[in-house]
Amino acid sequence: IVLIAPNLEILDFNPVASKYAKLTFQREMIQGQSMLDFTLPSSKENFLKNFNRALSGETVDVELELPYQKNLKLWWRVSYNPIYDVDNNIIGISFTASNIDQRKRLEEKVSFIANSIPFTTVFEYEENTKGERKFTFISKGVFDIFGYTADEVYQNADVIWASLEMDDLNKILEIKN
């Protein structure tokens, strides 16, 4: 976790962020430095875009594969969350990164298997606290069964939820819980 001021100054950070900085950038993270000093050159444009979206009040979550150490890349879930003062003004951003490499590698294996078997749909979804659902993985078989491409389902999960029979939907929700 790194707390960042609107001018990109590092306000505070936890020990995990400090360790990541040492391993990836070979230098200490210090309060007052620019967060851009700890952003990979290939990621700066996207970092700034997502940072600015968070400064406008939006919570941004992205999954990306980044170099971690020499010749090693890991998948991360990165979140940019606005920080508000008591008057509801945005005073900075909470930047968090979670290692999701193991999950992503398993998803790649499942995807390969699922897409090798015709007329089979394998999927994974997330549901937020508002009850909104989004698919995090869906195999190509979704087109054979439902007539929608995986990209269409990623954009609008409701097309699949509306097509499921109530018994099937209840079974899916039981498995997820």
Side-chain angles (χ1 to χ4, degrees):
I1 299 172
V2 181
L3 304 180
I4 311 167
N7 67 357
L8 295 165
E9 177 184 331
I10 296 172
L11 300 172
D12 205 357
F13 52 90
N14 70 359
V16 175
S18 178
K19 181 179 178 182
Y20 177 81
K22 285 180 196 173
L23 288 171
T24 305
F25 299 98
Q26 293 77 45
R27 63 176 168 250
E28 296 282 333
M29 184 176 277
I30 300 170
Q31 290 178 347
Q33 288 177 303
S34 172
M35 187 61 185
L36 292 180
D37 294 339
F38 298 96
T39 305
L40 297 167
S42 61
S43 301
K44 279 189 181 173
E45 183 178 333
N46 281 330
F47 174 86
L48 289 170
K49 179 181 75 168
N50 293 327
F51 182 84
N52 287 322
R53 285 172 58 193
L55 278 179
S56 71
E58 183 180 349
T59 295
V60 181
D61 291 310
V62 292
E63 294 182 356
L64 53 144
E65 190 177 33
L66 296 171
Y68 183 63
Q69 294 175 335
K70 292 181 182 178
N71 301 319
L72 176 65
K73 287 186 172 186
L74 296 177
W75 278 94
W76 299 91
R77 181 181 182 138
V78 178
S79 297
Y80 304 75
N81 297 287
I83 302 170
Y84 296 89
D85 66 12
V86 294
D87 296 323
N88 211 29
N89 298 309
I90 296 174
I91 58 170
I93 301 300
S94 170
F95 175 82
T96 61
S98 302
N99 182 335
I100 59 167
D101 194 70
Q102 185 176 11
R103 188 196 90 205
K104 292 297 280 189
R105 302 296 175 203
L106 287 173
E107 285 177 359
E108 288 171 359
K109 290 178 185 176
V110 169
S111 176
F112 175 78
I113 293 167
N115 289 321
S116 300
I117 304 169
F119 301 107
T120 301
T121 300
V122 177
F123 62 88
E124 174 183 82
Y125 76 93
E126 293 178 351
E127 186 172 348
N128 66 21
T129 56
K130 298 176 187 173
E132 299 166 332
R133 299 179 189 114
K134 88 173 179 183
F135 286 93
T136 56
F137 170 78
I138 193 158
S139 65
K140 292 178 185 172
V142 71
F143 183 78
D144 298 326
I145 295 171
F146 296 103
Y148 297 101
T149 66
D151 286 338
E152 289 171 322
V153 174
Y154 285 128
Q155 295 299 314
N156 181 7
D158 291 339
V159 297
I160 293 297
W161 292 110
S163 301
L164 290 173
E165 297 293 327
M166 190 52 72
D167 288 344
D168 293 333
L169 181 58
N170 288 333
K171 288 176 188 173
I172 291 167
L173 295 174
E174 284 174 17
I175 292 168
K176 186 70 177 179
N177 295 327

mmCIF file of all heavy atoms in Angstrom, residues 15-37:
data_model
loop_
_atom_site.group_PDB
_atom_site.id
_atom_site.type_symbol
_atom_site.label_atom_id
_atom_site.label_comp_id
_atom_site.label_asym_id
_atom_site.label_seq_id
_atom_site.Cartn_x
_atom_site.Cartn_y
_atom_site.Cartn_z
ATOM 1 N N PRO A 15 5.503 -1.878 4.713
ATOM 2 C CA PRO A 15 6.753 -2.611 4.485
ATOM 3 C C PRO A 15 6.777 -3.422 3.194
ATOM 4 O O PRO A 15 7.834 -3.589 2.583
ATOM 5 C CB PRO A 15 6.857 -3.537 5.707
ATOM 6 C CG PRO A 15 6.057 -2.868 6.769
ATOM 7 C CD PRO A 15 4.939 -2.174 6.044
ATOM 8 N N VAL A 16 5.624 -3.917 2.759
ATOM 9 C CA VAL A 16 5.578 -4.695 1.516
ATOM 10 C C VAL A 16 5.926 -3.808 0.321
ATOM 11 O O VAL A 16 6.675 -4.212 -0.575
ATOM 12 C CB VAL A 16 4.198 -5.369 1.335
ATOM 13 C CG1 VAL A 16 4.105 -6.081 0.001
ATOM 14 C CG2 VAL A 16 3.928 -6.340 2.479
ATOM 15 N N ALA A 17 5.391 -2.588 0.303
ATOM 16 C CA ALA A 17 5.721 -1.651 -0.781
ATOM 17 C C ALA A 17 7.203 -1.314 -0.764
ATOM 18 O O ALA A 17 7.843 -1.217 -1.819
ATOM 19 C CB ALA A 17 4.878 -0.383 -0.650
ATOM 20 N N SER A 18 7.755 -1.147 0.421
ATOM 21 C CA SER A 18 9.183 -0.851 0.547
ATOM 22 C C SER A 18 10.033 -1.999 -0.009
ATOM 23 O O SER A 18 10.996 -1.773 -0.741
ATOM 24 C CB SER A 18 9.522 -0.606 2.022
ATOM 25 O OG SER A 18 10.889 -0.375 2.176
ATOM 26 N N LYS A 19 9.637 -3.222 0.325
ATOM 27 C CA LYS A 19 10.377 -4.400 -0.166
ATOM 28 C C LYS A 19 10.288 -4.498 -1.684
ATOM 29 O O LYS A 19 11.280 -4.770 -2.366
ATOM 30 C CB LYS A 19 9.820 -5.666 0.487
ATOM 31 C CG LYS A 19 10.531 -6.931 0.070
ATOM 32 C CD LYS A 19 9.948 -8.155 0.759
ATOM 33 C CE LYS A 19 10.648 -9.411 0.291
ATOM 34 N NZ LYS A 19 10.098 -10.622 0.888
ATOM 35 N N TYR A 20 9.098 -4.274 -2.234
ATOM 36 C CA TYR A 20 8.918 -4.309 -3.686
ATOM 37 C C TYR A 20 9.816 -3.265 -4.360
ATOM 38 O O TYR A 20 10.460 -3.546 -5.371
ATOM 39 C CB TYR A 20 7.449 -4.074 -4.063
ATOM 40 C CG TYR A 20 7.226 -4.021 -5.556
ATOM 41 C CD1 TYR A 20 7.121 -5.188 -6.297
ATOM 42 C CD2 TYR A 20 7.153 -2.800 -6.223
ATOM 43 C CE1 TYR A 20 6.945 -5.140 -7.672
ATOM 44 C CE2 TYR A 20 6.963 -2.749 -7.594
ATOM 45 C CZ TYR A 20 6.860 -3.919 -8.314
ATOM 46 O OH TYR A 20 6.697 -3.869 -9.670
ATOM 47 N N ALA A 21 9.871 -2.063 -3.777
ATOM 48 C CA ALA A 21 10.709 -1.003 -4.344
ATOM 49 C C ALA A 21 12.175 -1.427 -4.366
ATOM 50 O O ALA A 21 12.883 -1.207 -5.355
ATOM 51 C CB ALA A 21 10.540 0.289 -3.549
ATOM 52 N N LYS A 22 12.632 -2.021 -3.287
ATOM 53 C CA LYS A 22 14.031 -2.472 -3.223
ATOM 54 C C LYS A 22 14.313 -3.544 -4.268
ATOM 55 O O LYS A 22 15.344 -3.511 -4.949
ATOM 56 C CB LYS A 22 14.351 -3.019 -1.835
ATOM 57 C CG LYS A 22 14.513 -1.964 -0.778
ATOM 58 C CD LYS A 22 14.823 -2.611 0.569
ATOM 59 C CE LYS A 22 14.606 -1.635 1.700
ATOM 60 N NZ LYS A 22 14.725 -2.268 3.013
ATOM 61 N N LEU A 23 13.409 -4.530 -4.385
ATOM 62 C CA LEU A 23 13.625 -5.639 -5.326
ATOM 63 C C LEU A 23 13.524 -5.194 -6.780
ATOM 64 O O LEU A 23 14.286 -5.640 -7.627
ATOM 65 C CB LEU A 23 12.614 -6.752 -5.068
ATOM 66 C CG LEU A 23 12.816 -7.573 -3.808
ATOM 67 C CD1 LEU A 23 11.618 -8.486 -3.567
ATOM 68 C CD2 LEU A 23 14.088 -8.395 -3.900
ATOM 69 N N THR A 24 12.583 -4.326 -7.061
ATOM 70 C CA THR A 24 12.322 -3.943 -8.452
ATOM 71 C C THR A 24 13.171 -2.771 -8.924
ATOM 72 O O THR A 24 13.644 -2.759 -10.057
ATOM 73 C CB THR A 24 10.828 -3.610 -8.628
ATOM 74 O OG1 THR A 24 10.062 -4.723 -8.174
ATOM 75 C CG2 THR A 24 10.490 -3.344 -10.081
ATOM 76 N N PHE A 25 13.382 -1.791 -8.047
ATOM 77 C CA PHE A 25 14.061 -0.559 -8.457
ATOM 78 C C PHE A 25 15.435 -0.378 -7.808
ATOM 79 O O PHE A 25 16.111 0.612 -8.044
ATOM 80 C CB PHE A 25 13.170 0.661 -8.157
ATOM 81 C CG PHE A 25 11.872 0.613 -8.907
ATOM 82 C CD1 PHE A 25 10.721 0.146 -8.292
ATOM 83 C CD2 PHE A 25 11.801 1.014 -10.223
ATOM 84 C CE1 PHE A 25 9.521 0.099 -8.982
ATOM 85 C CE2 PHE A 25 10.610 0.967 -10.925
ATOM 86 C CZ PHE A 25 9.464 0.497 -10.304
ATOM 87 N N GLN A 26 15.820 -1.331 -6.951
ATOM 88 C CA GLN A 26 17.108 -1.294 -6.256
ATOM 89 C C GLN A 26 17.347 0.017 -5.506
ATOM 90 O O GLN A 26 18.455 0.550 -5.488
ATOM 91 C CB GLN A 26 18.285 -1.557 -7.218
ATOM 92 C CG GLN A 26 18.336 -2.961 -7.778
ATOM 93 C CD GLN A 26 17.328 -3.214 -8.882
ATOM 94 O OE1 GLN A 26 17.164 -2.409 -9.779
ATOM 95 N NE2 GLN A 26 16.625 -4.321 -8.796
ATOM 96 N N ARG A 27 16.293 0.547 -4.882
ATOM 97 C CA ARG A 27 16.447 1.750 -4.064
ATOM 98 C C ARG A 27 15.353 1.806 -3.014
ATOM 99 O O ARG A 27 14.297 1.194 -3.154
ATOM 100 C CB ARG A 27 16.472 3.009 -4.908
ATOM 101 C CG ARG A 27 15.230 3.306 -5.683
ATOM 102 C CD ARG A 27 15.348 4.651 -6.424
ATOM 103 N NE ARG A 27 14.269 4.785 -7.369
ATOM 104 C CZ ARG A 27 14.400 4.751 -8.668
ATOM 105 N NH1 ARG A 27 15.585 4.610 -9.208
ATOM 106 N NH2 ARG A 27 13.364 4.883 -9.452
ATOM 107 N N GLU A 28 15.623 2.559 -1.985
ATOM 108 C CA GLU A 28 14.693 2.724 -0.869
ATOM 109 C C GLU A 28 13.544 3.646 -1.262
ATOM 110 O O GLU A 28 13.748 4.656 -1.930
ATOM 111 C CB GLU A 28 15.409 3.340 0.337
ATOM 112 C CG GLU A 28 16.500 2.484 0.929
ATOM 113 C CD GLU A 28 15.972 1.359 1.802
ATOM 114 O OE1 GLU A 28 14.864 1.498 2.365
ATOM 115 O OE2 GLU A 28 16.669 0.349 1.916
ATOM 116 N N MET A 29 12.356 3.306 -0.822
ATOM 117 C CA MET A 29 11.210 4.196 -0.968
ATOM 118 C C MET A 29 11.217 5.116 0.254
ATOM 119 O O MET A 29 11.322 4.654 1.388
ATOM 120 C CB MET A 29 9.912 3.385 -1.024
ATOM 121 C CG MET A 29 8.680 4.218 -1.264
ATOM 122 S SD MET A 29 7.169 3.211 -1.449
ATOM 123 C CE MET A 29 7.283 2.757 -3.173
ATOM 124 N N ILE A 30 11.118 6.417 0.014
ATOM 125 C CA ILE A 30 11.176 7.409 1.086
ATOM 126 C C ILE A 30 9.997 8.366 0.927
ATOM 127 O O ILE A 30 9.662 8.771 -0.199
ATOM 128 C CB ILE A 30 12.512 8.196 1.044
ATOM 129 C CG1 ILE A 30 13.694 7.237 1.199
ATOM 130 C CG2 ILE A 30 12.558 9.277 2.117
ATOM 131 C CD1 ILE A 30 15.040 7.868 0.924
ATOM 132 N N GLN A 31 9.386 8.721 2.053
ATOM 133 C CA GLN A 31 8.309 9.702 2.010
ATOM 134 C C GLN A 31 8.821 10.985 1.358
ATOM 135 O O GLN A 31 9.943 11.411 1.606
ATOM 136 C CB GLN A 31 7.800 10.003 3.416
ATOM 137 C CG GLN A 31 7.038 8.851 4.025
ATOM 138 C CD GLN A 31 6.584 9.145 5.448
ATOM 139 O OE1 GLN A 31 7.018 10.092 6.076
ATOM 140 N NE2 GLN A 31 5.715 8.294 5.964
ATOM 141 N N GLY A 32 7.984 11.574 0.518
ATOM 142 C CA GLY A 32 8.345 12.808 -0.171
ATOM 143 C C GLY A 32 8.828 12.587 -1.594
ATOM 144 O O GLY A 32 8.842 13.520 -2.392
ATOM 145 N N GLN A 33 9.247 11.361 -1.916
ATOM 146 C CA GLN A 33 9.674 11.080 -3.290
ATOM 147 C C GLN A 33 8.461 11.045 -4.208
ATOM 148 O O GLN A 33 7.323 10.887 -3.762
ATOM 149 C CB GLN A 33 10.378 9.719 -3.365
ATOM 150 C CG GLN A 33 11.751 9.683 -2.750
ATOM 151 C CD GLN A 33 12.315 8.269 -2.817
ATOM 152 O OE1 GLN A 33 11.725 7.325 -2.333
ATOM 153 N NE2 GLN A 33 13.498 8.149 -3.418
ATOM 154 N N SER A 34 8.722 11.141 -5.495
ATOM 155 C CA SER A 34 7.655 11.020 -6.479
ATOM 156 C C SER A 34 7.343 9.546 -6.719
ATOM 157 O O SER A 34 8.257 8.722 -6.848
ATOM 158 C CB SER A 34 8.075 11.657 -7.806
ATOM 159 O OG SER A 34 7.108 11.375 -8.806
ATOM 160 N N MET A 35 6.089 9.216 -6.791
ATOM 161 C CA MET A 35 5.687 7.844 -7.098
ATOM 162 C C MET A 35 6.168 7.436 -8.477
ATOM 163 O O MET A 35 6.392 6.248 -8.732
ATOM 164 C CB MET A 35 4.171 7.704 -6.981
ATOM 165 C CG MET A 35 3.673 6.292 -7.121
ATOM 166 S SD MET A 35 4.346 5.207 -5.843
ATOM 167 C CE MET A 35 3.690 3.642 -6.406
ATOM 168 N N LEU A 36 6.381 8.403 -9.349
ATOM 169 C CA LEU A 36 6.880 8.075 -10.689
ATOM 170 C C LEU A 36 8.281 7.478 -10.642
ATOM 171 O O LEU A 36 8.682 6.769 -11.560
ATOM 172 C CB LEU A 36 6.844 9.312 -11.591
ATOM 173 C CG LEU A 36 5.449 9.813 -11.954
ATOM 174 C CD1 LEU A 36 5.541 11.044 -12.840
ATOM 175 C CD2 LEU A 36 4.613 8.725 -12.603
ATOM 176 N N ASP A 37 9.030 7.739 -9.550
ATOM 177 C CA ASP A 37 10.346 7.109 -9.377
ATOM 178 C C ASP A 37 10.219 5.610 -9.149
ATOM 179 O O ASP A 37 11.213 4.884 -9.247
ATOM 180 C CB ASP A 37 11.100 7.747 -8.204
ATOM 181 C CG ASP A 37 11.473 9.192 -8.452
ATOM 182 O OD1 ASP A 37 11.515 9.609 -9.639
ATOM 183 O OD2 ASP A 37 11.710 9.912 -7.467
#
